[in-house]
Amino acid sequence: MRSLAMLKPVKSILYSVALLLLGNGLLNTLLTLRGTEEGFSSAVLGMIMSGYFVGFIGGTWVSGRLIRRMGHIRTFGFCASLCASVALLHLVFINPWVWLPLRMVYGLSFITLITVIESWLNSQAASHERGRIFAVYMVVNLGALATAQQLLRLSSPQGFLLFVIIAILISWALLPITLTRRVQPKMSERPKSSLRTLLGFAPLAVASAALSGLAMGAFWSMTPVYATQLGFDIGGVGLVMSVAIIGGALLQIPIGRFSDKHDRPRVMTWVVLLAALIAACMPFAPTHEALLGLYFLWGGLAFSLYPLAVAQLIDQLHPDEIVAGSADMLVMHGAGCAVAPIAAGSLMTAVGSQGLPVYIACVFALLGMYAIYRRRRVTALVTHTAHFEPMVQSSAEVLELIFDDTQGDLFDDPSFYEEHERERLRSILTSSKG
């Protein structure tokens, strides 16, 4: 009963995000499948899918201004209408050069929708309940993405029904939020960028965010093409995607909690190297069932990497820097996601379907080697141990929901600030020697 009471102020938001992610998760996979059937090459599909992430990055700067100008509900209605209509326009104009700008517009609109949801969630969550509300939000998020892949079974990508379902789901996401009687929150100013500073004393965390984006962007965009070329039917493609997402949902927390109690850079190194090894094994999977098992394990490791990188960054940040630093990490991750479909798609066009797991294995192996180098040559700065929180690519607003309450009493100790500055200076001196 207490849990239900806790969710009462945010239930309309959770209903909206579930409907929105059902539509978005289905559209991302559907477009890849439809493009494949229309004869688009892997390289062209990669370029089209990268447009979404380009729009996503642009939206991280535009969304706040738009919400402050129009208010939360009107902004949500405006962007939901754009997303629903853009989904249908993909069906009207089946041309890669039209799909590319459509994906950019969709990406910008979608991140604005998520920003509205997460800023509203922030305002409604009581400080002592933020952690539990965030956990429920993540369950809804990952559950909707996994379920969306199974909606592919309802019709063929060659038809119009799935596109109509997407538009309906996104339009229905308007209903819970527009019906709410709760007061709209005020949108706070976006924190100033601190990327140069982060690169100076937390390069491993920043590199992990960018390179995990290079891998995960390829997964979201090109896995449907890969699975199709291996002989999976439409339902099988959805199953491959769902299995990886479920693996990420189930294994993120145990991996993250383990990293809270042990040397986090070491845990990150093992996670990324194991993910690289599993990806390298995918071309040799003897059966489809074996490949599904590999995707489950890979998803658990790969989905953990970005939140591990954020936790590693938080380990090294002054509390006043957490939201700004984490927002910059999100931009770096998005930049990697934007490049990934083009790089992976080009490689698949050149060498065939197995270019995707080879690409992902190489990206993770590169990150693993860099992590080993950093651990051997440079002493990591750790001012305190942050708590790992599972997450997916989202807006900067959710970072306040996570970190406003999780570090708590540690930051109330004045000696923490003095020790923080001493440790940061020591880290900079160690880095210069390395």
Side-chain angles (χ1 to χ4, degrees):
M1 293 297 294
R2 184 181 175 185
S3 297
L4 293 176
M6 172 190 73
L7 295 177
K8 187 175 180 181
V10 299
K11 64 180 181 180
S12 62
I13 303 170
L14 295 177
Y15 290 147
S16 286
V17 77
L19 291 164
L20 188 62
L21 289 173
L22 279 171
N24 182 64
L26 177 57
L27 179 62
N28 288 342
T29 306
L30 175 61
L31 287 179
T32 308
L33 294 173
R34 181 60 181 264
T36 300
E37 294 191 4
E38 294 293 340
F40 300 169
S41 69
S42 296
V44 169
L45 279 172
M47 178 186 64
I48 292 169
M49 302 311 287
S50 71
Y52 168 82
F53 296 107
V54 171
F56 189 98
I57 295 170
T60 60
W61 286 287
V62 172
S63 56
R65 296 185 181 93
L66 198 61
I67 294 169
R68 281 188 288 273
R69 177 180 177 179
M70 299 174 62
H72 282 68
I73 291 179
R74 286 197 297 167
T75 301
F76 195 90
F78 178 79
C79 291
S81 296
L82 271 178
C83 285
S85 59
V86 165
L88 294 175
L89 285 172
H90 284 94
L91 186 60
V92 176
F93 302 102
I94 303 178
N95 184 299
W97 304 111
V98 177
W99 280 20
L100 177 59
L102 287 178
R103 292 301 286 159
M104 291 179 181
V105 172
Y106 183 90
L108 192 151
S109 302
F110 183 77
I111 185 56
T112 304
L113 290 172
I114 294 299
T115 303
V116 169
I117 286 171
E118 292 176 350
S119 63
W120 206 323
L121 200 64
N122 249 332
S123 71
Q124 296 297 323
S127 60
H128 63 284
E129 294 174 340
R130 284 174 176 267
R132 282 177 290 175
I133 287 176
F134 175 73
V136 173
Y137 176 68
M138 284 304 303
V139 169
V140 172
N141 203 313
L142 290 167
L145 287 173
T147 304
Q149 311 307 314
Q150 301 310 306
L151 297 179
L152 290 167
R153 300 175 183 272
L154 296 177
S155 183
S156 167
Q158 284 283 58
F160 67 90
L161 179 60
L162 292 177
F163 288 91
V164 172
I165 290 173
I166 291 164
I168 290 171
L169 288 170
I170 295 173
S171 298
W172 280 357
L174 275 164
L175 302 180
I177 278 192
T178 53
L179 285 173
T180 185
R181 290 180 292 178
R182 297 189 178 274
V183 178
Q184 297 183 65
K186 291 184 178 180
M187 186 71 183
S188 58
E189 290 288 337
R190 188 175 184 269
K192 292 182 179 179
S193 173
S194 58
L195 187 57
R196 277 188 186 176
T197 305
L198 297 186
L199 285 170
F201 71 87
L204 177 57
V206 176
S208 297
L211 290 174
S212 67
L214 278 173
M216 296 308 295
F219 163 75
W220 289 114
S221 301
M222 304 310 297
T223 297
V225 178
Y226 174 63
T228 299
Q229 292 177 353
L230 290 184
F232 284 90
D233 59 14
I234 300 303
V237 171
L239 185 59
V240 171
M241 298 294 291
S242 293
V243 161
I245 295 168
I246 292 169
L250 295 180
L251 299 184
Q252 269 197 65
I253 291 180
I255 290 173
R257 295 296 177 254
F258 183 81
S259 76
D260 286 345
K261 299 176 181 178
H262 297 82
D263 179 30
R264 203 180 318 268
R266 183 188 294 271
V267 174
M268 289 174 62
T269 303
W270 279 107
V271 165
V272 73
L273 289 176
L274 285 172
L277 178 62
I278 291 172
C281 291
M282 287 180 183
F284 306 101
T287 64
H288 284 177
E289 290 75 16
L291 184 62
L292 288 172
L294 290 174
Y295 258 104
F296 177 84
L297 294 174
W298 180 85
L301 295 166
F303 275 71
S304 301
L305 186 56
Y306 175 66
L308 279 173
V310 173
Q312 167 69 7
L313 181 73
I314 303 304
D315 288 344
Q316 303 173 251
L317 286 182
H318 188 286
D320 293 340
E321 302 166 333
I322 286 177
V323 174
S326 302
D328 286 331
M329 290 281 280
L330 179 64
V331 172
M332 292 300 295
H333 186 73
C337 287
V339 175
I342 298 174
S346 299
L347 185 60
M348 291 174 72
T349 298
V351 304
S353 60
Q354 298 300 347
L356 178 62
V358 169
Y359 164 83
I360 291 174
C362 289
V363 169
F364 279 152
L366 178 63
L367 178 56
M369 289 186 290
Y370 180 67
I372 292 171
Y373 165 78
R374 292 294 305 177
R375 291 187 65 252
R376 288 185 175 180
R377 296 292 301 274
V378 182
T379 301
L381 162 65
V382 179
T383 62
H384 60 283
T385 301
H387 294 297
F388 173 94
E389 296 292 345
M391 63 180 73
V392 293
Q393 189 183 48
S394 191
S395 81
E397 294 302 310
V398 81
L399 301 169
E400 294 186 21
L401 182 66
I402 302 170
F403 300 120
D404 273 1
D405 193 49
T406 55
Q407 311 307 324
D409 298 335
L410 175 67
F411 297 153
D412 295 333
D413 181 3
S415 65
F416 166 78
Y417 296 92
E418 298 176 7
E419 181 63 22
H420 174 87
E421 296 305 327
R422 287 198 297 271
E423 289 293 337
R424 177 172 293 188
L425 179 60
R426 188 180 305 130
S427 174
I428 293 171
L429 292 174
T430 305
S431 298
S432 64
K433 291 177 184 177

